[in-house]
Amino acid sequence: MRTILFFLCFTVPVILLSCRLKNKVGSNVRQQKYLEKTALIRDKRAYGQSIVLIKPPAENWADDFIAKDDRAIMGTLNFTREMRIQVLKELLSYENDTVKSNKLFYIRGRWKNVESKDFTIEVEALYSFTRMLTRDMPRMLPVLIERKTGKNITGERKKIAEIYAIYRKWLKKNEKSNFQHIQYPLTGTPFDWDGGEGNDKYLNKAF
């Protein structure tokens, strides 16, 4: 009897711990209110995962719900300003998620996903955050660059961490000012999105 009790007391906590760790693989993100990750696609042509808006429990949504631009979906769902701000906060929780992203974005007239192995969920989240501040179709690409050299830094984790810190500071500052007269988060920093120059005409001046 003692042997059985010892076995249960020792093994059950270990099993529970291993289950919790397993659930954290690939992301430290807790259950979100508005966002979730798709299932992992293992096909080489579209390998990876992406961040999507949680599909509402209704039967009349088309199968292309995931493929639509997130801003258009939020408009269809009548997201309030407060809900959109919460989405911005949830996007920043994807830092350190280095699973390859297969997100489709409507860029320069067509739907396109980024084929680079360095385009990860954490980079996707930053790009989606930036696009949420815009209207129409800005010409910036989902590729992070060093402003001074034009070097692609999408795969440089330390610099991605710096950029996340910049976005968090931007969010905190604009929450205090009620999101009036906003700028792009990377304005005046050493970093930019490829093709981001001259995109001010797409920026919503207030969020």
Side-chain angles (χ1 to χ4, degrees):
M1 186 66 180
R2 288 182 179 177
T3 303
I4 294 173
L5 287 173
F6 175 80
F7 176 80
L8 290 174
C9 290
F10 178 77
T11 57
V12 170
V14 171
I15 292 170
L16 290 174
L17 177 61
S18 64
C19 289
R20 289 174 184 172
L21 290 174
K22 184 178 180 181
N23 289 335
K24 290 184 178 181
V25 171
S27 174
N28 294 320
V29 179
R30 297 191 299 270
Q31 181 64 38
Q32 306 272 35
K33 188 172 183 179
Y34 298 114
L35 301 176
E36 64 182 354
K37 283 172 62 177
T38 60
L40 179 66
I41 295 177
R42 299 187 181 277
D43 189 298
K44 290 182 179 180
R45 293 168 294 181
Y47 183 88
Q49 293 177 274
S50 61
I51 306 166
V52 293
L53 288 162
I54 295 174
K55 190 172 182 178
E59 297 179 359
N60 58 342
W61 288 105
D63 290 337
D64 64 348
F65 178 90
I66 289 177
K68 290 180 179 177
D69 186 273
D70 290 341
R71 297 168 303 171
I73 296 173
M74 284 186 275
T76 302
L77 297 178
N78 297 315
F79 267 36
T80 65
R81 183 169 176 269
E82 290 70 25
M83 293 163 73
R84 291 172 185 265
I85 292 170
Q86 181 59 34
V87 170
L88 293 180
K89 292 178 179 179
E90 290 188 12
L91 284 168
L92 292 184
S93 70
Y94 286 93
E95 183 179 7
N96 296 321
D97 192 329
T98 56
V99 172
K100 185 182 184 304
S101 170
N102 58 9
K103 178 78 169 183
L104 286 169
F105 289 105
Y106 195 76
I107 302 172
R108 296 181 179 174
R110 63 192 179 99
W111 286 100
K112 182 178 175 59
N113 65 350
V114 182
E115 298 176 358
S116 169
K117 64 180 177 61
D118 294 324
F119 187 65
T120 58
I121 291 290
E122 64 176 355
V123 177
E124 175 198 330
L126 290 173
Y127 184 69
S128 292
F129 184 114
T130 311
R131 279 175 67 102
M132 277 188 61
L133 309 179
T134 68
R135 58 186 179 276
D136 300 324
M137 293 295 167
R139 299 184 66 81
M140 61 186 177
L141 301 175
V143 177
L144 285 163
I145 61 170
E146 210 162 37
R147 195 182 297 273
K148 188 175 181 179
T149 63
K151 177 187 174 186
N152 181 343
I153 58 168
T154 304
E156 298 188 29
R157 297 295 315 291
K158 287 185 178 180
K159 290 182 179 177
I160 299 299
E162 286 183 54
I163 294 171
Y164 262 91
I166 290 169
Y167 272 70
R168 288 196 175 92
K169 184 178 180 181
W170 181 96
L171 186 60
K172 186 176 181 180
K173 174 185 174 182
N174 284 281
E175 277 191 297
K176 289 181 178 179
S177 64
N178 200 28
F179 291 89
Q180 298 300 309
H181 309 295
I182 65 173
Q183 292 182 308
Y184 281 109
L186 295 179
T187 298
T189 74
F191 311 107
D192 200 0
W193 294 99
D194 190 6
E197 311 88 353
N199 269 338
D200 282 345
K201 62 182 179 180
Y202 297 104
L203 180 68
N204 289 315
K205 299 304 179 184
F207 186 73

